[in-house]
Amino acid sequence: MLRVRPAKKIAGTVRVPGDKSISHRAVMFGALAEGVTTIEGFLPGADCLSTISCFRRMGIEIEQQGDKVTVQGKGWYGLQEPMQHLDVGNSGTTIRLMSGILATQPFHTVMEGDESIAKRPMRRVIGPLRQMGAKIDGRKDGEFTPLSIRGGKLQSMAYQSPVASAQVKSAILLAGLQAEGVTSVTEPHLSRDHTERMMQAFGVSVVRDGLTVSVEGGQKLTGRAISVPGDISSAAFLIAAVMVVPGSSLLIENVGINPSRTGIIDVVKAMGGSLELQNERIVNEEPVADLLVTHSQLHGIEISGDIIPRLIDEIPVIAVMATQAIGQTVIRDAEELKVKETDRIATVVSQLSKFGGRVTPTDDGMIIEGQTALTGAVIDSMGDHRIGMAMAIAGLAATGETGIENEEAINVSFPGFEELLKNISQ
Ligand code: SPQ
């Protein structure tokens, strides 16, 4: 059990582990590229290690030591049919992006993962890939794992996605790279665009026109050196720690500030938080900065619309910050929370309530009542890394001790979280 005591102050200069979305993509693109790809700043969390293990099973040589990785790319058709099922663990990004890749391969694969993956919707990816000609099956007509994929020749398509999902967009664009003609995806709101940026970094031409992004089939990826910035979704827990503990101040160095991910910065500022970007620079097509965060009294706001995909993974910890803000915070248009590692509307409400938090679930979000005194409690991560970490941050602002059960889930995206939190807590 992870134990958290109330903090008097949060202070220091820190770095967070590498960006999870970018780390996955660097391994995948490196494996499919011609030549060697070296990655520094890789996230050695359980999810990205699942991606590495899937490619190793398909004959790709990958050396990984901590945050340094070398991938011996063999080109798009250098993968071998795996002898066993591919295990994606807890990682939605791995299974959905790999569906797009495997749909193009001249062999058969079966992918499965843990209990949480078995409940997450797959037809959002399988449906459009089937329309491109892929032969994919799974439980409930392809809605759930295990997924069985017999890849082959695909036709290009113009896909209008009903959800703003980077995983859906990425799977179709990856399949599109081997389809005949131009494949495009149009989304209702912009989701994170790391795939598009990394395709360009690997030498692929990608065209963006508003909410539509297209690629032409038949383009090759060329191996290269990739430097992964710190994950803003991990930095979000530390930003929240500063905001819920009076007198705190923290410098978080080398954080990715891709505009499709910075909803958390906009929200903290809109709530009255002090957050300054320093030393802004571009690394491998991705913007990066140091974040200077200083405690401020927050006030409640409404969060809805276009900003939601830009902060979807941060909503659990935003809810925690909102308990300490003056007034009410209302989160709308976030029904996607229901299909993450857990139903994050239900789990935020059930776990935050254990501290005495006043949170009401709605169909597409939640309403949080501000300036609520929290009391330490025994919490369950429910196997969801972001719930475990969000509740640890609530524990810093609570009276008495908090215990987080099933805390090992945190390793999915933030190995070293407990130690880092101890180091910055006074
Ligand atoms: O990979 P996984 O399990 O889906 O992880 C989560 C997370 O909280 O870490 C979602 F539960 O992040 C997704 C994110 O929500 C990672 C991701 C990506 O790298 O492409 C995109 C988002 O999901 P989606 O469904 O909007 O595409």
Side-chain angles (χ1 to χ4, degrees):
M1 186 149 85
L2 163 59
R3 288 179 199 283
V4 183
R5 286 179 196 287
K8 290 193 190 77
K9 193 171 145 182
I10 301 292
T13 298
V14 289
R15 287 187 173 224
V16 290
D19 187 281
K20 176 158 80 70
S21 297
I22 298 177
S23 295
H24 279 301
R25 287 157 172 83
V27 171
M28 292 179 186
F29 289 26
L32 296 166
E34 287 175 11
V36 178
T37 289
T38 55
I39 309 169
E40 59 154 40
F42 174 79
L43 167 67
D47 271 16
C48 299
L49 295 178
S50 294
T51 292
I52 287 187
S53 112
C54 289
F55 279 96
R56 282 184 177 147
R57 282 187 183 249
M58 292 188 287
I60 302 298
E61 222 177 281
I62 305 175
E63 206 182 295
Q64 181 251 330
Q65 263 179 340
D67 71 346
K68 305 234 176 327
V69 179
T70 307
V71 186
Q72 306 290 340
K74 290 190 181 168
W76 197 278
Y77 292 109
L79 305 181
Q80 291 161 13
E81 184 167 63
M83 310 251 295
Q84 287 134 327
H85 294 181
L86 300 181
D87 181 2
V88 304
N90 186 246
S91 177
T93 307
T94 307
I95 194 163
R96 297 208 181 99
L97 268 60
M98 292 208 27
S99 296
I101 294 167
L102 296 174
T104 68
Q105 298 294 328
F107 53 70
H108 175 253
T109 27
V110 176
M111 283 193 288
E112 60 192 347
D114 67 8
E115 264 177 53
S116 152
I117 279 292
K119 292 185 204 141
R120 295 180 69 182
M122 295 297 150
R123 212 180 290 128
R124 51 179 54 201
V125 168
I126 299 327
L129 290 174
R130 280 176 174 164
Q131 285 178 47
M132 294 175 82
K135 293 187 183 63
I136 311 186
D137 212 343
R139 278 184 304 126
K140 304 270 182 224
D141 188 25
E143 178 64 327
F144 298 114
T145 59
L147 295 182
S148 155
I149 304 183
R150 185 162 290 285
K153 253 202 145 3
L154 303 180
Q155 298 102 45
S156 57
M157 79 180 295
Y159 186 62
Q160 196 86 32
S161 178
V163 279
S165 160
Q167 294 173 359
V168 171
K169 174 175 63 179
S170 302
I172 297 165
L173 292 178
L174 283 161
L177 278 184
Q178 296 308 320
E180 242 166 69
V182 174
T183 294
S184 68
V185 182
T186 304
E187 5 180 39
H189 305 282
L190 180 67
S191 66
R192 65 191 66 188
D193 63 358
H194 303 299
T195 293
E196 297 91 302
R197 287 174 190 252
M198 197 171 288
M199 278 183 173
Q200 285 170 325
F202 276 78
V204 167
S205 159
V206 178
V207 177
R208 173 164 289 286
D209 179 10
L211 292 171
T212 302
V213 56
S214 0
V215 292
E216 183 153 10
Q219 300 189 65
K220 280 187 182 153
L221 304 166
T222 309
R224 54 161 301 159
I226 294 285
S227 174
V228 181
D231 198 325
I232 190 163
S233 295
S234 298
F237 297 105
L238 309 183
I239 295 171
V242 169
M243 292 304 158
V244 299
V245 179
S248 299
S249 171
L250 199 62
L251 181 65
I252 315 170
E253 293 178 333
N254 195 43
V255 181
I257 51 158
N258 179 320
S260 63
R261 298 283 300 281
T262 48
I264 177 70
I265 294 182
D266 298 351
V267 157
V268 165
K269 286 184 173 168
M271 292 176 88
S274 163
L275 199 161
E276 202 185 295
L277 299 187
Q278 299 180 341
N279 194 14
E280 286 186 53
R281 57 228 187 246
I282 301 283
V283 182
N284 302 133
E285 328 278 331
E286 291 280 352
V288 179
D290 302 335
L291 311 185
L292 177 63
V293 196
T294 312
H295 175 80
S296 335
Q297 175 59 61
L298 302 182
H299 53 81
I301 58 169
E302 177 176 324
I303 305 169
S304 60
D306 272 2
I307 198 169
I308 294 294
R310 298 178 52 233
L311 49 65
I312 188 76
D313 297 339
E314 286 64 77
I315 290 178
V317 82
I318 288 174
V320 171
M321 279 195 296
T323 65
Q324 302 308 300
I326 295 171
Q328 202 175 56
T329 295
V330 180
I331 299 171
R332 293 191 219 282
D333 304 325
E335 47 279 270
E336 275 294 298
L337 287 173
K338 294 179 184 166
V339 292
K340 299 297 180 184
E341 283 81 330
T342 54
D343 172 345
R344 287 182 177 159
I345 296 179
T347 46
V348 165
V349 171
S350 68
Q351 301 309 302
L352 212 39
S353 303
K354 292 183 182 170
F355 288 97
R358 292 174 294 150
V359 192
T360 310
T362 61
D363 274 356
D364 63 351
M366 61 191 91
I367 300 167
I368 306 115
E369 303 298 336
Q371 286 227 296
T372 302
L374 303 180
T375 311
V378 176
I379 300 302
D380 190 347
S381 78
M382 313 286 281
D384 185 335
H385 53 132
R386 304 216 185 272
I387 297 298
M389 288 186 277
M391 297 309 139
I393 301 307
L396 296 175
T399 54
E401 196 182 87
T402 291
I404 315 280
E405 289 178 334
N406 288 316
E407 81 288 356
E408 66 289 343
I410 292 172
N411 282 326
V412 155
S413 64
F414 202 151
F417 173 77
E418 184 176 358
E419 207 188 328
L420 196 152
L421 205 58
K422 276 194 185 126
N423 289 343
I424 60 172
S425 301
Q426 294 179 4

